[in-house]
Amino acid sequence: MTFSEHQDRGMKKWGGFLLSEHTEYLEEEKKAPQWEMPMDQEIIFQVLQSIIENRSVTAIQLFKADATEPDPFIEGRIVATEGDWIHVRAAEGIRVIDLESIRYIEERGYRKWYK
């Protein structure tokens, strides 16, 4: 076999050289929250209307003053609206959110825990 006939396997050959700590770090980095693109207020209201009509699960990212790293999404169901405030039942309890502090919002379906 000559050098020109040799086919490089790319990253597969280096996989065994990674430390388990480094692999864990890479997996955690993938799970870390990322900043989403800010949405217009009109689009936020349209998504909110759809979430309320469908009684769906919502995921909300808020603006932050320091803007270094985003907080995890606030995930839950909207249980009430009051003027410019929405009440979201999240895992940690009821969160009261000002509509103007919403940076990004999305409607999420049910997540299956089985395949």
Side-chain angles (χ1 to χ4, degrees), residues 34-88:
Q34 302 292 322
W35 284 113
E36 298 290 340
M37 291 296 295
M39 299 171 84
D40 293 333
Q41 285 295 103
E42 184 177 322
I43 296 173
I44 289 172
F45 291 138
Q46 290 173 357
V47 173
L48 271 172
Q49 182 178 359
S50 175
I51 290 169
I52 291 169
E53 287 175 359
N54 298 328
R55 297 180 181 169
S56 301
V57 175
T58 183
I60 300 172
Q61 187 176 62
L62 302 176
F63 284 107
K64 284 181 63 175
D66 61 1
T68 54
E69 292 183 15
D71 289 333
F73 281 104
I74 298 170
E75 293 187 51
R77 293 190 185 276
I78 296 174
V79 293
T81 58
E82 178 183 1
D84 288 341
W85 301 87
I86 58 172
H87 301 258
V88 178

Side-chain angles (χ1 to χ4, degrees), residues 3-19:
F3 182 72
S4 61
E5 295 174 359
H6 177 70
Q7 184 176 6
D8 188 17
R9 297 184 306 160
M11 286 301 295
K12 289 182 181 178
K13 67 181 178 183
W14 299 105
F17 291 108
L18 294 177
L19 295 173

